[in-house]
Amino acid sequence: MKLGTMFQDVSSSFLRKPVTEKYPFERRTPPTRLRGTLVWDAETCVGCGLCATDCPANALEVFVLDRKEKRFALSYHPDRCTFCAQCVSSCRHGSLAMSNEVWELAALDRTSFTIHFGDETDVELALAGKTASNAEASSE
Ligand code: SF4
Ligand code: SF4
């Protein structure tokens, strides 16, 4: 490369706007169809367990504490999740969705790789094994 051309390149790059983005200080709006972590709707869930049964990555557990009282809890393991959205399709009640806002999963420890959904007391009971049964897929 000739010295003159090199000088021209260097000086023009000083004037150009950088092509790199200032992530994480500046963020783009994520695409609406981006598959981030799961979101669960406790109101519509019937505890059928189909989502867990159909999950190819064994990333979901459904706990039934009291079916009549609609007390369910879910454990979700984003580190196993392949973000295939099979659970979202399998749920006949529209209780699961994939957030397009929560997708940054890097962490310094493993605790953030288990997300518990449900009432705090129910989650504690579920983790202690005090469930009516672990939910099994039913024809509900
Ligand atoms: S997105 Fe796929 S891998 Fe992740 S929990 Fe749902 S079914 Fe399992
Ligand atoms: S498939 Fe839907 S309704 Fe059934 S346990 Fe999963 S989230 Fe709840």
Side-chain angles (χ1 to χ4, degrees), residues 6-19:
M6 192 171 82
F7 181 74
Q8 220 174 1
D9 280 353
V10 172
S11 55
S12 68
S13 63
F14 272 118
L15 302 171
R16 241 184 277 135
K17 198 175 162 230
V19 290

Side-chain angles (χ1 to χ4, degrees), residues 38 55-57 59-60 76 81-87 98:
L38 276 185
C55 173
L60 277 173
Y76 169 52
C81 181
T82 60
F83 302 90
C84 63
Q86 178 59 56
C87 53
M98 305 201 86

Side-chain angles (χ1 to χ4, degrees), residues 60-127:
L60 277 173
E61 293 162 83
V62 178
F63 303 97
V64 178
L65 289 113
D66 188 331
R67 197 174 288 281
K68 278 190 189 149
E69 296 290 323
K70 277 183 65 73
R71 284 175 59 199
F72 311 115
L74 261 75
S75 288
Y76 169 52
H77 304 276
D79 54 340
R80 295 186 207 155
C81 181
T82 60
F83 302 90
C84 63
Q86 178 59 56
C87 53
V88 178
S89 308
S90 297
C91 180
R92 299 170 193 169
H93 300 271
S95 312
L96 290 171
M98 305 201 86
S99 166
N100 76 326
E101 286 170 3
V102 185
W103 51 270
E104 291 161 305
L105 302 174
L108 294 175
D109 59 60
R110 291 186 60 83
T111 51
S112 64
F113 293 124
T114 304
I115 297 171
H116 301 294
F117 297 120
D119 178 85
E120 206 176 313
T121 314
D122 289 348
V123 169
E124 277 173 23
L125 288 169
L127 295 181

Side-chain angles (χ1 to χ4, degrees), residues 40 45-51 62 91 93 95-96:
W40 178 61
C45 180
V46 297
C48 66
L50 263 183
C51 51
V62 178
C91 180
H93 300 271
S95 312
L96 290 171

